[in-house]
Amino acid sequence: MFNPRPKKLLPLASLFFLSGGLMGLTPAPFHAWPLAWLALIPLWLLIHPSRPAGPINDGYRLLLAGCWGLGYHGLALFWITGLHPLMWMGIPWLGSIAIAAFAWVFITLWGTAIGGSWMLGMSLLRPWLGNAMGRLLVGTALWCAIESLWSRGPLWWTSLAYTQSPYNLPILHLGQLSGPLLVTAAIVVVNGLLAEAIAAVRWPQSRLNVSRWGGTAIALLLVAHLLGGWLYSQPLVEPAETALRVGLIQGNIPTREKLTRQGVLRAYQIYLNGYESLAARGVDAVATPEGALPTVWDPSVQARSPIYQAVLENRVALWLGTFAKASNAAEAPLTQSLFAIAPDGETVGRYNKVKLVPLGEYIPLASLLGQIIGRLSPIDSSLSPGSFGQRFETSLGLAAVGICYESPYSQLFRQQVADGGRFILTASNNDPYPPRMMAQHHAQDLMRAIETDRWAVRVTNTGLSGIVDPHGHTRWLSEPNQYVTHIATIYRRQTRTLYVRWGDWLTPLLGGLGLVWLVWQGFKGRLQS
């Protein structure tokens, strides 16, 4: 449908950038989630057969897809510029700007590569796509496969599925069937159907296709919401004996202060006071955020820690965010960890953060790029990642845990719930990022609660802390950048959604069907030649 000449490229590039920007309006702070069901249409039109093929046109397609990705990921992830200012670390003002700009540009380009990879794949496969059904099948399968690959990498946040969180709860319940990629698939195929309807407008002999494809898009959108709505309408049965009274402490200690000697002392005092106050009010456990105590937690530190002595005196479990050595070796690297301390003082569980933040908690390809990146990175050394397959034992039962940046990685939570996790606990810092990032983070955890049918406890340093039920209702949400303590009742659950049982079965199914279609089209082409 598009055959741009060089002089028309700039208006087209602007159009695609704006289209991606519409998708970028779907998460916080704008929450314009309905736009996701329209914003992909231009990408689908780029690979429609009404456009002539050719190497120059293929280059245009990749360029325009890149413009779309810049609009989406650049706007949705603009919050990462909140890294600035970093002058408190001794970094000059220009250096601070450079670090924030580098982080934003890099993660935007990483996300942009999703749409670019999809466009490249669809362009290469174009001779074998066949009719509209083939385009829709292969295109949806390819997008899901690319998102699945990206979700296993070091940088992951802007799935198409998260554009619907936290407000479109019916559609998010499709995640109970095959995880977030089922929501992504629904968005991609509805956009594709609408694109087919728009493309059919050009030919009078194909006007019937306008109503056919447009009607199918509307019908599929309704069916997806009705199915999700049925899952959403299922009652939550919560036996009284499964209830837990959990206390949360949002310490609100900025990182620039927490890493000083005075900040360490303040952290100990704030979390000690918060723990004792909540314990006196009859909670079963107290949860603290990521790095609540910014020290290395080892047996000698634990023995003389006032907060550990408070646990022994009050006999209330503590879930403590801190740092620890990866092993007993003297020079062992540190882990970002969450400890489960039982009422009798015994450490019954430990979870080490698996997905570390590039440049924030480790330097990627340090042996090759360490000297270059080290000039842009505020960290002096790398933390050690935890391993997959961890189980977080507590005195109150198994929990599924995520620490901060792990919230978008749905497979981490699915695996822990499949292994017996009865509720979700996420511990995060979120400083120095703005409230729009905090809201997006909350939206990620809300999706994990729905997919696994678990109550989720979110405890953060600067916000937003919250409680989410298995249907995605936010039962409580803190104010950002304030000291807060809160008590909530959650319930331990043993249900197993289809996603928890089988994982993401949709992507390999679509991939298999798409491969069969491509082989069949190739075979037909040989017979006709």
Side-chain angles (χ1 to χ4, degrees):
M1 193 163 183
F2 296 109
N3 187 19
R5 297 175 181 175
K7 65 180 181 180
K8 295 182 179 180
L9 182 59
L10 183 58
L12 270 178
S14 301
L15 175 65
F16 275 79
F17 181 80
L18 290 174
S19 175
L22 291 179
M23 188 69 84
L25 295 176
T26 55
F30 304 104
H31 296 297
W33 59 265
L35 293 177
W37 302 93
L38 302 170
L40 274 174
I41 291 174
L43 291 184
W44 276 107
L45 291 174
L46 273 180
I47 52 92
H48 198 273
S50 58
R51 277 202 68 252
I56 295 178
N57 289 323
D58 286 345
Y60 280 141
R61 279 197 290 269
L62 288 175
L63 179 61
L64 295 175
C67 292
W68 186 94
L70 290 175
Y72 172 36
H73 301 281
L75 180 57
L77 296 170
F78 188 74
W79 51 260
I80 203 169
T81 57
L83 281 170
H84 174 75
L86 291 170
M87 286 80 78
W88 59 273
M89 301 186 71
I91 297 173
W93 185 83
L94 284 177
S96 176
I97 292 288
I99 290 172
F102 174 81
W104 177 48
V105 170
F106 186 85
I107 196 171
T108 296
L109 292 176
W110 187 272
T112 297
I114 296 174
S117 299
W118 183 81
M119 187 59 64
L120 177 62
M122 293 297 284
S123 297
L124 294 174
L125 295 172
R126 192 176 180 190
W128 301 280
L129 293 178
N131 57 26
M133 291 298 295
R135 287 192 296 276
L136 293 168
L137 172 61
V138 175
T140 304
L142 184 59
W143 193 288
C144 289
I146 294 170
E147 277 208 6
S148 178
L149 178 63
W150 252 246
S151 72
R152 286 161 171 75
L155 290 172
W156 182 236
W157 192 270
T158 43
S159 163
L160 292 186
Y162 105 121
T163 64
Q164 303 301 290
S165 186
Y167 292 113
N168 192 357
L169 295 181
I171 206 68
L172 290 177
H173 276 70
L174 295 182
Q176 293 187 348
L177 303 179
S178 188
L181 283 173
L182 182 52
V183 180
T184 289
I187 293 171
V188 172
V189 74
V190 166
N191 275 271
L193 287 164
L194 292 174
E196 292 291 337
I198 292 171
V201 172
R202 294 191 63 189
W203 302 284
Q205 66 272 24
S206 301
R207 289 293 169 84
L208 288 177
N209 287 336
V210 177
S211 57
R212 186 177 103 184
W213 295 119
T216 302
I218 295 171
L220 181 60
L221 185 63
L222 289 175
V223 169
H225 279 80
L226 287 172
L227 176 58
W230 177 76
L231 294 169
Y232 179 35
S233 69
Q234 301 305 300
L236 296 177
V237 180
E238 309 290 10
E241 62 271 17
T242 65
L244 288 179
R245 276 173 56 85
V246 179
L248 291 75
I249 307 174
Q250 180 175 296
N252 194 39
I253 306 174
T255 303
R256 63 181 179 273
E257 177 183 340
K258 188 167 58 174
L259 297 181
T260 66
R261 176 176 173 78
Q262 181 180 2
V264 171
L265 295 175
R266 184 180 172 215
Y268 266 92
Q269 193 60 54
I270 280 180
Y271 288 103
L272 173 61
N273 292 343
Y275 172 84
E276 291 181 331
S277 171
L278 291 168
R281 294 164 64 187
V283 298
D284 297 308
V286 175
T288 65
E290 173 189 29
L293 298 186
T295 56
V296 179
W297 189 259
D298 59 29
S300 62
V301 171
Q302 174 180 298
R304 62 177 185 269
S305 169
I307 198 167
Y308 178 73
Q309 297 301 321
V311 173
L312 297 177
E313 293 172 9
N314 290 274
R315 311 285 295 180
V316 172
L318 173 65
W319 300 328
L320 178 65
T322 185
F323 298 88
K325 288 187 175 182
S327 68
N328 294 326
E331 300 299 324
L334 298 181
T335 60
Q336 185 81 257
S337 300
L338 189 70
F339 286 90
I341 303 174
D344 62 1
E346 180 184 358
T347 299
V348 295
R350 172 179 171 178
Y351 177 86
N352 300 324
K353 188 176 183 179
V354 177
K355 293 292 185 178
L356 301 177
V357 180
L359 299 183
E361 295 174 324
Y362 78 101
I363 297 177
L365 302 175
S367 60
L368 298 176
L369 304 177
Q371 291 184 346
I372 299 173
I373 297 177
R375 299 187 181 189
L376 294 175
S377 175
I379 65 173
D380 296 323
S381 60
S382 294
L383 297 177
S384 178
S387 59
F388 286 90
Q390 297 179 70
R391 289 164 58 92
F392 189 66
E393 299 274 1
T394 80
S395 56
L396 300 166
L398 277 172
V401 174
I403 298 181
C404 197
Y405 176 59
E406 295 180 324
S407 292
Y409 291 89
S410 59
Q411 64 270 22
L412 277 176
F413 296 86
R414 188 206 72 82
Q415 171 262 315
Q416 293 182 76
V417 171
D419 285 347
R422 301 185 64 185
F423 59 95
I424 291 175
L425 173 62
T426 60
S428 307
N429 181 15
N430 286 355
D431 179 70
Y433 298 110
R436 62 180 176 271
M437 176 273 179
M438 301 174 187
Q440 288 187 21
H441 198 178
H442 172 74
Q444 299 277 10
D445 282 339
L446 183 146
M447 293 171 67
R448 308 294 84 85
I450 294 174
E451 293 157 5
T452 59
D453 195 38
R454 291 295 184 267
W455 286 78
V457 177
R458 303 191 68 249
V459 56
T460 69
N461 175 27
T462 55
L464 301 169
S465 302
I467 302 293
V468 180
D469 73 19
H471 278 324
H473 300 125
T474 300
R475 297 297 185 97
W476 171 77
L477 199 64
S478 71
E479 292 295 325
N481 302 311
Q482 294 184 14
Y483 171 76
V484 177
T485 61
H486 181 74
I487 296 176
T489 299
I490 66 169
Y491 296 86
R492 292 163 288 187
R493 295 174 66 81
Q494 293 181 301
T495 56
R496 292 166 65 88
T497 65
L498 194 62
Y499 175 57
V500 169
R501 292 175 183 271
W502 291 1
D504 172 29
W505 52 266
L506 176 71
T507 300
L509 175 62
L510 288 176
L513 293 174
L515 182 60
V516 169
W517 177 270
L518 292 171
V519 171
W520 171 244
Q521 290 299 312
F523 181 70
K524 281 176 59 179
R526 286 192 175 186
L527 290 178
Q528 294 170 1
S529 62

